[in-house]
Amino acid sequence: NAAIQWSNLRSVFSEMYRVLKPNGLLLVSTFGPSTMLELQRAWHAIGDGSPRVHAFAGIGHIRDALNEAGFFEAQIESEIARLRYSSVREMFRGIKHLGATNAASNRSRGLLGREKFDRWCQGLEQDQVDGAISLQFEPIFIVAEKQ
């Protein structure tokens, strides 16, 4: 739960379908593409073309993977939640504590460099509201039944 965003959704849902008993209920959550948009915008603003933020699947992709696995008429809902941090350092600690990481195989593996990192931090700090950096998350909640 909440870790499937790092996996192949079709494989994960197929395996979940396989192990569920008939009429078994699948309850799972993940994160959608509006998750950490502030970080994506900050990377884009400094011209860093590397995918530094994980690409989260949208509801349509999730629904397709569920249907392909055998689940039909799944209920899928999402919402927007925000976490607030007093500094970039606190935000990094919070993200690390959540266990978030970028699992993209095409992500940059090299060091960013101090100048780019400082410009990125400044971009985040410019968007502060009431002295805090706000980070958006899009939790997606899935309920599906095996027929």
Side-chain angles (χ1 to χ4, degrees), residues 85 89-101 135:
Y85 302 97
R89 183 179 298 269
E90 182 189 353
M91 180 196 67
F92 275 126
R93 274 195 303 263
I95 292 171
K96 185 177 179 180
H97 181 72
L98 290 172
T101 186
L135 192 56

Side-chain angles (χ1 to χ4, degrees), residues 4 6-7 18 27 33 36 42 53 63 74 77 89 94 99 101 125:
I4 64 172
W6 293 301
S7 304
R18 186 189 70 77
L27 304 169
M36 296 191 250
V53 178
R63 187 174 306 282
E77 295 183 16
R89 183 179 298 269
T101 186
E125 290 166 350

Side-chain angles (χ1 to χ4, degrees), residues 51-123:
R52 301 253 180 203
V53 178
H54 184 73
F56 298 93
I59 289 177
H61 184 76
I62 292 169
R63 187 174 306 282
D64 290 347
L66 286 164
N67 288 341
E68 187 176 302
F71 294 104
F72 292 97
E73 298 184 27
Q75 297 174 30
I76 305 173
E77 295 183 16
S78 71
E79 61 184 46
I80 299 296
R82 293 193 174 278
L83 295 178
R84 294 171 46 95
Y85 302 97
S86 62
S87 66
V88 173
R89 183 179 298 269
E90 182 189 353
M91 180 196 67
F92 275 126
R93 274 195 303 263
I95 292 171
K96 185 177 179 180
H97 181 72
L98 290 172
T101 186
N102 182 356
S105 60
N106 62 338
R107 73 185 186 278
S108 176
R109 301 203 188 265
L111 296 175
L112 181 61
R114 184 69 180 181
E115 182 185 332
K116 268 190 175 181
F117 181 74
D118 287 345
R119 285 193 350 240
W120 180 78
C121 289
Q122 289 169 359

